[in-house]
Amino acid sequence: MQAHRNYQKELEKILSALGAAHGSMPRLLLHSCCAPCSSYCMEYLREYFRITVFYYNPNITEQEEYRKRVQEEIRLIEAYNHQAEEWEAGGPAKIEILEGDYDPSRFLDMARGLEDCGEGGERCFRCYELRLRESAETAKKLGFDYFTTTLTISPLKNAAKLNEIGEGIAEEYGVRWLPSDFKKRGWYQRSIELSKEYGLYRQNYCGCVFSKRTAEKEKA
C-alpha cells in the first residue's frame, strides 16, 4: 500500500528549488474551475511562474452559468494584472487566460450511466480526468513547463485522486505535473477572503446538472 503523501509539502519543495534558481520563470498552465478557487492559487503561484489560466469546464452544463463564471475569471485576472502594474518593476508577470472549447456534450457523454452516482464518486473522478487531460494536451501543444489545477483548494474535492490522475496523464503526455493540495494551511479560507475582497460570484455547486440537483435537494 502506498504511504500517505503530503502533496502540499511536495509543492513547497518544488517552489523552493524554483525560488533558488536563476533565470526566467517557468510557464505554468493553471486549469481553473472558477474565479473564487483560482484567487488564492494565482496569488500564491505568480511569484514562481508565468501563469496562463486555462478555463476548461464542459461540466458546467448551463450556458448562462458558464458565461457568468468565465466572466468572473476574466474580471479577477484583470484586477490582479492591474494590481501588478502598480507594483515596482520586478513584480509578478502578467497573468494570461486561455478559454478552452465549451462543449457540455463531452461531459454528458462521459457521465452517461453515472447519472445517479453520488457527489465525490466515480462520475467526479472521470470529470477530473476529462478536464486534466485537456489541460495536459494544451500544455504539451503550447510548450508549457508545468500544468496543474485549482480544484485541490476545495474541501469537497479529492486532492489525492486529482494528483493521482494528474501524474498519470503527465507521464502519458510528457508534461510535468505540479502537485498540490491548496486547501492546506488555511488557504481555502484565504480564497474566501479574496472572494469577498473582489466581490466574486461564489456558486454552491460544481457546475454540472447533477451537482446542481444535489445542492437544490440539500437546500430544500
Side-chain angles (χ1 to χ4, degrees):
M1 181 179 292
Q2 185 179 9
H4 176 72
R5 292 170 59 183
N6 188 321
Y7 292 101
Q8 190 54 37
K9 282 190 176 180
E10 292 181 23
L11 171 60
E12 290 168 4
K13 185 176 181 180
I14 293 171
L15 298 185
S16 179
L18 290 176
H22 299 288
S24 61
M25 285 183 170
R27 298 175 67 212
L28 170 68
L29 189 71
L30 177 64
H31 167 262
S32 174
C33 54
C34 62
C37 285
S38 70
S39 60
Y40 177 74
C41 300
M42 291 190 295
E43 181 183 67
Y44 177 41
L45 296 173
R46 65 182 176 180
E47 295 184 31
Y48 304 93
F49 297 97
R50 288 176 291 151
I51 298 173
T52 294
V53 168
F54 183 49
Y55 198 86
Y56 177 71
N57 298 294
N59 59 303
I60 304 175
T61 41
E62 295 178 355
Q63 186 169 3
E64 184 178 354
E65 180 72 16
Y66 175 87
R67 294 313 317 170
K68 187 172 185 178
R69 294 192 194 192
V70 76
Q71 287 303 318
E72 283 293 87
E73 187 74 63
I74 292 169
R75 183 171 71 85
L76 177 63
I77 290 172
E78 288 177 346
Y80 273 14
N81 286 338
H82 179 71
Q83 181 186 62
E85 289 174 357
E86 295 179 342
W87 294 348
E88 295 180 3
K94 181 180 178 182
I95 298 171
E96 306 288 346
I97 183 167
L98 175 63
E99 186 178 352
D101 292 337
Y102 177 55
D103 182 4
S105 66
R106 287 195 66 189
F107 168 79
L108 294 171
D109 288 344
M110 178 277 302
R112 189 171 292 114
L114 298 170
E115 293 87 350
D116 296 324
C117 184
E119 287 296 294
E122 183 62 26
R123 186 183 64 241
C124 293
F125 297 161
R126 293 192 188 183
C127 182
Y128 298 166
E129 182 174 1
L130 173 65
R131 291 186 277 174
L132 292 181
R133 182 171 295 280
E134 188 74 13
S135 300
E137 289 181 1
T138 302
K140 178 74 172 180
K141 180 180 179 181
L142 299 180
F144 282 84
D145 300 293
Y146 291 87
F147 77 103
T148 195
T149 180
T150 65
L151 285 165
T152 66
I153 202 168
S154 170
L156 301 177
K157 299 296 187 290
N158 188 323
K161 194 67 177 178
L162 281 160
N163 280 283
E164 175 189 322
I165 293 170
E167 287 176 343
I169 292 173
E171 185 174 351
E172 182 179 341
Y173 284 92
V175 182
R176 282 177 287 185
W177 167 256
L178 191 68
S180 74
D181 193 353
F182 290 121
K183 70 178 73 63
K184 298 286 188 179
R185 305 188 190 284
W187 291 337
Y188 173 68
Q189 183 60 38
R190 175 58 179 159
S191 74
I192 294 175
E193 293 170 358
L194 287 166
S195 294
K196 291 179 179 177
E197 180 180 340
Y198 289 94
L200 298 177
Y201 164 62
R202 291 182 65 87
Q203 59 287 337
N204 65 346
Y205 68 105
C206 80
C208 75
V209 64
F210 312 111
S211 63
K212 183 177 183 181
R213 184 189 306 156
T214 299
E216 289 174 345
K217 286 182 179 178
E218 291 175 352
K219 184 177 180 180

